[in-house]
Amino acid sequence: MFAKTSVVIMASGYSRRMGHNKLFLQYHGRTFLMHTLDLVHQAAFNQIILVIKPEDYQNCDLPSSVEVILNSASYLGQSVSVRLGTQSVTGDSCLYLPIDQPKLSVKLLKQMQQLATPDRIVFPSFQGQARAPVCFGSQFYSELMQVTGKQGGRLVKQRHPEAWRPIEVVDFNQLQDIDNWAAYCQFALK
């Protein structure tokens, strides 16, 4: 039996490198936010948590199945979203999912859930290089509650290589994040 996996969608950044709010950029006729919500619904997570800035939340029409956490301190870095999301997690493991990977597949997210256990850290890898998103087992929640700054859970992951369960992905496109306008125009509009 697989662990009950929650997902925390990290959607409270400022999109500074992009120059436009990533949440509302279009990808195949839907916003990045709606695309991500559809993806996690299809992957059948046990719990869906969206961490979002209050001003962005006002512009959203979200399904009732999504637990919304307002992040009024996102200027302090990604760690605030990690801590806020982790406080509400009920699953045995939790996937921390950025909003800017529009080509992630349901298949990959389900593979991550299948490998997830309370004592594992599961993540995709391309040519041996770790990539986002990352799924932490519940034994790491207390450490995730202590993170600070811009790095989110990266340092927690680095401290526990014995817990790593990478999934090698052959198609880099599904792992690529869209960080700037040039990348959006070249990649996301294909």
Side-chain angles (χ1 to χ4, degrees):
M1 181 172 168
F2 304 133
K4 291 181 179 176
T5 305
S6 300
V7 60
V8 172
I9 301 170
M10 315 285 281
S12 63
Y14 284 94
S15 306
R16 286 187 179 102
R17 287 176 286 174
M18 178 64 71
H20 300 271
N21 191 327
K22 291 182 191 180
L23 298 182
F24 305 113
L25 290 176
Q26 293 290 312
Y27 178 70
H28 289 245
R30 292 177 293 169
T31 63
F32 274 27
L33 176 58
M34 286 298 121
H35 177 77
T36 302
L37 289 171
D38 289 347
L39 181 70
V40 298
H41 276 106
Q42 289 175 47
F45 282 88
N46 184 57
Q47 176 189 29
I48 300 170
I49 299 169
L50 174 67
V51 182
I52 189 169
K53 295 191 307 279
E55 59 269 28
D56 290 337
Y57 175 64
Q58 293 174 6
N59 297 314
C60 296
D61 183 21
L62 300 170
S64 60
S65 57
V66 176
E67 295 177 40
V68 175
I69 298 176
L70 300 179
N71 182 354
S72 298
S74 55
Y75 59 89
L76 294 174
Q78 190 181 69
S79 60
V80 178
S81 291
V82 170
R83 291 193 313 267
L84 287 171
T86 304
Q87 287 176 10
S88 296
V89 168
T90 60
D92 300 325
S93 59
C94 182
L95 181 77
Y96 293 83
L97 181 64
I99 198 77
D100 60 0
Q101 289 181 291
K103 292 206 173 186
L104 283 173
S105 69
V106 172
K107 179 182 176 185
L108 176 60
L109 297 186
K110 286 188 174 192
Q111 285 178 303
M112 293 179 75
Q113 289 183 71
Q114 289 170 355
L115 279 178
T117 62
D119 61 347
R120 289 182 178 171
I121 301 172
V122 181
F123 53 89
S125 172
F126 180 74
Q127 297 181 349
Q129 297 295 311
R131 304 290 297 185
V134 179
C135 185
F136 287 92
S138 57
Q139 91 171 30
F140 305 102
Y141 293 169
S142 60
E143 285 183 68
L144 290 168
M145 290 296 298
Q146 305 302 316
V147 298
T148 59
K150 295 180 179 181
Q151 296 222 2
R154 187 173 297 141
L155 294 177
V156 175
K157 179 176 163 269
Q158 289 173 348
R159 281 195 294 262
H160 299 283
E162 75 288 350
W164 293 0
R165 296 300 183 276
I167 298 172
E168 188 64 23
V169 173
V170 294
D171 178 14
F172 177 73
N173 283 334
Q174 83 166 294
L175 301 178
Q176 188 164 347
D177 56 345
I178 308 302
D179 278 336
N180 58 55
W181 190 250
Y184 175 63
C185 292
Q186 180 180 24
F187 179 78
L189 295 177
K190 289 182 183 178

